[in-house]
Amino acid sequence: MSQMPQLSACPSCEEPLESGDRFCGACGYDLSAVPARPQDNPTITMNGSVPVQGAPAGAYPEPPPVPPAGAGWPVPGPDGAGGSQAAHLPTDLQGTDAGSSALPPGSPPPPPGAPPAPAAGVRFDHPPQAEGHPVPPGGYAPQPGAYPEQSETYQAQQPDEYLLQAPDPRVSADPAAQAAGAGGKVCVACRAGRVDDDGYCENCGHAQPRERDHMEQESGPVAAVSDRGLRHHRNEDAFAIGSTALPDGSPASVAIVCDGVSSATRPDDASMAASKAASEALLAALPRGTHPQQAMHDAIIAASRAVNSLAAEPATAREHAPHQNAPACTIVGAVVTSGLLIVGWVGDSRAYWVPVDRSAPPARLTEDDSWAAQMVAAGLMSEAEAYADERAHAITGWLGADAYELEPHTAAFKPDRPGVVVVCTDGLWNYAEAAEEMARVVPLDAATHPLHSARVLVGHALDGGGHDNVTVALVPFPAVSQGAGSA
């Protein structure tokens, strides 16, 4: 049996022990299970020295002198131990570079705290320097001679630049180019995402401006501008303009403006269908010699049919929304020849006459199909009182499958002086209701610069609040010859 180690206290509970105890009297710990203390061997320090036998702790002899450069490892003796008792440090050995070439002796180390020297040739942010070493990012500039010159073999093996992998030319780094290449539109907000079929960006979800949010067109002497306004989420107005020639060769100008009824389904489709159908009917009938007033009447009938056709929906659609109104819109149009001015309308979109000579009185050429107009016509309210009522804009006539009775209104005028016809929706005349108010906001050069003037009028409505869609067309009188054909 091996001799038990002599303990002065229990290893488990620190209870004092007496000589010869085999178990702890307090906790019963088996003292024979305590392993014997291992033989203490000196710890070798990093410099290779060992404590002197019998010397107090921490007493170490002086390190042996550094062997001369080129000294080899000690030759092993017969028993495998080194033949020399002198310890060799790692710094005693001569270093080599990556090309196995010996480094020159005595190269001074960089100053304490300096950042490590960059590897030669590893430069991604600037071209290689012909002479010297690049300055590290920390701002430390090595002193001359601080870095030894590389051998010719090493320099031949190392490239001047470690180039990054070139991007795959088949994959464009520009997200906008990727979206455009995929045949889709690019988001106007983030310029990275593709616009889906619903008009929203697949990347940031931003709603894209629709083509109809702002529209401008100029056709010879006629111009029109339409804007979504500041409150509506889409533009439910539409217009169509053009010019043609009568059988005698005299010019004729055409302008149609429609306003979708917001309480109906697909009001934007209704206004677009009506304006297109009416314009096409006029531009086809006038060259054949149809009287302009009759042509206007027939054009409104054609527009009504186009809107009615939009109500032909599957039965299942009506089952899901049985109380929805059929698509509907209002319409107003003007035909201007060399001596005749024709207007036609259904609803509350209007036409105004503004003479070039502002000393002459302007005039409103249409009468609204609205609750307010009926109250004024019946003598129950003054015009100011009627249009101040919240029911003022409730229309009593419109184009649509559920209209009570279609009654196209037409009127013919023979102005005795030049002027301009303003054809507009209530999004404009809400901010210039009376003829005198409209004349004040129409620019003086509207007859010669209709597009600019139309922009000014739309801007006037937007500055006033832009509560509704805004659409206006300007038609100079008399018609100016621009050649036959429509725009």
Side-chain angles (χ1 to χ4, degrees):
M1 178 183 290
S2 60
Q3 184 179 4
M4 293 177 51
Q6 297 298 323
L7 301 176
S8 60
C10 174
S12 177
C13 66
E14 300 296 334
E15 180 71 18
L17 301 176
E18 295 181 0
S19 178
D21 287 346
R22 294 179 179 274
F23 297 92
C24 176
C27 66
Y29 186 83
D30 185 1
L31 301 176
S32 63
V34 179
R37 179 177 297 175
Q39 183 180 359
D40 188 17
N41 293 323
T43 301
I44 300 178
T45 61
M46 292 302 295
N47 61 6
S49 62
V50 297
V52 179
Q53 295 295 331
Y60 291 88
E62 294 294 330
V66 178
W73 289 101
V75 180
D79 57 354
S84 172
Q85 298 297 327
H88 290 266
L89 304 178
T91 56
D92 298 339
L93 303 179
Q94 185 176 6
T96 60
D97 58 19
S100 300
S101 302
L103 296 174
S107 299
V122 185
R123 292 183 294 271
F124 298 108
D125 56 344
H126 56 79
Q129 301 180 10
E131 298 179 358
H133 296 270
V135 178
Y140 165 71
Q143 300 297 326
Y147 295 96
E149 296 296 331
Q150 304 293 346
S151 63
E152 295 181 1
T153 304
Y154 177 79
Q155 293 178 356
Q157 294 175 348
Q158 300 297 323
D160 289 337
E161 290 284 348
Y162 289 89
L163 300 178
L164 295 174
Q165 182 180 3
D168 190 344
R170 295 170 296 179
V171 180
S172 172
D174 185 5
Q178 294 181 7
K185 296 182 179 180
V186 181
C187 175
V188 299
C190 67
R191 301 301 303 168
R194 189 181 70 87
V195 179
D196 60 19
D197 296 336
D198 295 331
Y200 292 86
C201 175
E202 294 179 346
N203 180 51
C204 66
H206 188 87
Q208 305 300 298
R210 299 175 176 87
E211 182 181 358
R212 290 180 61 176
D213 282 356
H214 186 86
M215 300 180 292
E216 296 184 357
Q217 185 181 353
E218 188 172 23
S219 175
V222 189
V225 175
S226 180
D227 192 89
R228 177 172 59 92
L230 305 179
R231 301 296 180 89
H232 283 235
H233 70 284
R234 65 181 175 185
N235 189 359
E236 298 171 355
D237 290 356
F239 66 82
I241 59 175
S243 58
T244 186
L246 300 178
D248 60 359
S250 61
S253 300
V254 173
I256 299 292
V257 170
C258 296
D259 183 359
V261 178
S262 297
S263 60
T265 60
R266 301 165 61 191
D268 52 338
D269 292 340
S271 62
M272 182 63 72
S275 61
K276 181 179 179 181
S279 174
E280 290 177 350
L282 284 171
L283 294 175
L286 292 175
R288 293 199 300 261
T290 305
H291 189 277
Q293 190 167 1
Q294 182 62 44
M296 176 63 73
H297 181 277
D298 296 342
I300 295 177
I301 297 296
S304 177
R305 292 172 181 168
V307 177
N308 292 348
S309 66
L310 298 178
E313 300 173 341
T316 54
R318 283 296 179 184
E319 291 175 1
H320 288 91
H323 302 295
Q324 284 186 343
N325 296 328
C329 69
T330 67
I331 186 172
V332 62
V335 175
V336 173
T337 67
S338 58
L340 190 64
L341 166 59
I342 304 295
V343 295
W345 74 96
V346 172
D348 63 348
S349 295
R350 295 180 176 180
Y352 290 85
W353 165 255
V354 178
V356 173
D357 181 7
R358 297 304 169 87
S359 62
R364 197 176 89 189
L365 306 178
T366 58
E367 293 292 336
D368 298 342
D369 289 323
S370 67
W371 177 90
Q374 286 186 347
M375 294 298 103
V376 174
L380 300 177
M381 289 184 178
S382 67
E383 187 172 3
E385 292 173 342
Y387 282 100
D389 194 282
E390 61 181 6
R391 297 165 291 181
H393 291 279
I395 58 176
T396 58
W398 61 88
L399 304 182
D402 56 358
Y404 299 123
E405 183 179 355
L406 178 61
E407 295 181 1
H409 310 292
T410 60
F413 303 91
K414 293 184 177 181
D416 58 356
R417 66 195 66 201
V420 62
V421 182
V422 180
V423 185
C424 64
T425 62
D426 59 348
L428 172 61
W429 66 253
N430 278 334
Y431 303 98
E433 184 174 335
E436 293 76 15
E437 295 175 330
M438 183 65 71
R440 283 195 295 268
V441 298
V442 173
L444 297 176
D445 60 349
T448 55
H449 297 86
L451 181 58
H452 168 74
S453 300
R455 292 169 178 167
V456 171
L457 292 174
V458 170
H460 172 76
L462 298 180
D463 292 341
H467 291 268
D468 200 355
N469 305 146
V470 188
T471 302
V472 57
L474 296 181
V475 189
F477 177 89
V480 179
S481 177
Q482 295 291 333
S486 62

